[in-house]
């Protein structure tokens, strides 16, 4: 596999044995193993034993399976099954913590494509991940409309919500936080960060009414 992007890639094949008169060669691909010509394919007339063709109309961050093939007067011969994963096109969020990813997919994957897009994240106003065994949520910065975040009783060691400028309520107690950045949270009115390992906290930009 070469030239892999978010929606294209290149793959090829090499014919080592001729079992008849070859008429055409190609590649076929799908999201399941051992694709056939009934799946997506790119086919050309036979000219050489070695060839390379492009896969197109792919989806980002998907694992695809590919096989080369050749057609002759007796049938179709397939090459070995190979796989690759397309790249992120910049519209989808890659999660560091699988537990946080699972929570977001279960609650915010509106189009059921098994991904959370940045556009989907921007619409979320409340996240409740209380006691979910989560160790990191750096992707919280994409949730720019977030107003309430409850991430109490997890494994977080640092939390940066400086990009969540609409946040009004943050409950992050009972983690292992040594760092908490709320510098951009000018709308924050309720903050509970007790039972952590914080030694200092800058609240100069926060107009809070309840702090714990």
């Amino acid at each position: 596999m070469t030239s892999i992007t978010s929606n294209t890639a290149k793959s090829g094949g090499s014919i080592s044995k001729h079992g008849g008169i070859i008429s055409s060669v190609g590649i076929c691909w799908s999201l399941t193993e051992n694709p056939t010509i009934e799946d997506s394919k790119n086919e050309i007339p036979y000219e050489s034993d070695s060839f390379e063709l492009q896969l197109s109309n792919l989806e980002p961050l998907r694992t695809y399976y590919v096989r080369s093939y050749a057609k002759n007067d007796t049938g179709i011969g397939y090459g070995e099954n190979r796989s690759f994963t397309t790249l992120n096109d910049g519209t989808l969020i890659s999660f560091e913590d699988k537990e946080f990813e699972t929570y977001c997919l279960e609650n915010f994957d509106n189009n059921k494509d098994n991904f959370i897009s940045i556009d989907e994240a921007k619409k979320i106003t409340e996240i409740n991940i209380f006691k979910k065994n989560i160790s990191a949520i750096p992707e919280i910065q994409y949730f720019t409309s977030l107003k309430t975040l409850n991430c109490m009783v997890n494994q977080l060691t640092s939390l940066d919500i400086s990009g969540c400028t609409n946040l009004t309520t943050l409950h992050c107690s009972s983690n292992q936080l040594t760092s908490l950045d709320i510098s951009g949270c000018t709308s924050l009115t309720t903050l509970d960060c007790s039972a952590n390992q914080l030694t200092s906290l800058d609240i100069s930009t926060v107009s809070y009414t309840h702090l714990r």
Side-chain angles (χ1 to χ4, degrees):
M1 302 301 306
T2 61
S3 304
I4 299 171
T5 71
S6 62
N7 54 19
T8 61
K10 288 183 179 181
S11 181
S14 179
I15 300 171
S16 58
K17 294 182 179 180
H18 290 252
I21 300 174
I22 299 175
S23 58
S24 59
V25 295
I27 53 174
C28 54
W29 64 91
S30 73
L31 293 170
T32 56
E33 294 189 40
N34 298 314
T36 70
I37 60 171
E38 301 300 319
D39 297 301
S40 300
K41 68 178 187 295
N42 188 356
E43 184 175 301
I44 58 174
Y46 170 71
E47 295 180 351
S48 170
D49 284 351
S50 297
F51 58 94
E52 184 177 60
L53 296 170
Q54 181 162 291
L55 295 74
S56 57
N57 298 320
L58 307 178
E59 297 180 358
L61 290 177
R62 296 284 192 185
T63 297
Y64 285 89
Y65 297 90
V66 186
R67 289 201 293 178
S68 59
Y69 65 89
K71 291 181 179 179
N72 60 24
D73 51 352
T74 62
I76 303 173
Y78 290 97
E80 66 180 54
N81 186 67
R82 294 179 292 170
S83 66
F84 72 97
T85 301
T86 49
L87 304 181
N88 193 340
D89 63 355
T91 67
L92 302 177
I93 299 174
S94 297
F95 288 86
E96 178 178 330
D97 187 285
K98 288 297 181 183
E99 296 298 330
F100 186 43
E101 180 181 30
T102 298
Y103 169 85
C104 290
L105 289 174
E106 290 176 350
N107 291 276
F108 310 135
D109 184 16
N110 296 325
N111 60 1
K112 304 302 179 185
D113 65 349
N114 206 36
F115 292 104
I116 299 297
S117 69
I118 293 175
D119 284 341
E120 285 174 320
K122 287 179 179 178
K123 299 175 183 177
I124 306 307
T125 60
E126 181 175 354
I127 289 179
N128 185 354
I129 48 175
F130 172 79
K131 204 173 184 180
K132 295 287 187 180
N133 197 33
I134 293 172
S135 59
I137 55 171
E139 305 81 15
I140 203 69
Q141 298 288 352
Y142 293 108
F143 295 79
T144 53
S145 296
L146 196 64
K147 293 185 177 180
T148 301
L149 172 59
N150 183 351
C151 54
M152 296 169 59
V153 195
N154 281 289
Q155 314 284 325
L156 302 177
T157 58
S158 64
L159 180 59
D160 182 354
I161 54 169
S162 58
C164 301
T165 56
N166 293 298
L167 195 70
T168 61
T169 302
L170 172 60
H171 296 287
C172 58
S173 64
S174 301
N175 278 277
Q176 302 170 28
L177 292 176
T178 59
S179 172
L180 174 59
D181 187 350
I182 57 175
S183 58
C185 302
T186 55
S187 300
L188 192 65
T189 58
T190 300
L191 170 62
D192 181 0
C193 57
S194 59
N196 279 291
Q197 301 176 29
L198 296 168
T199 57
S200 63
L201 179 63
D202 182 1
I203 57 174
S204 60
T205 62
V206 178
S207 302
Y208 59 88
T209 57
H210 179 69
L211 173 64
R212 182 180 178 185

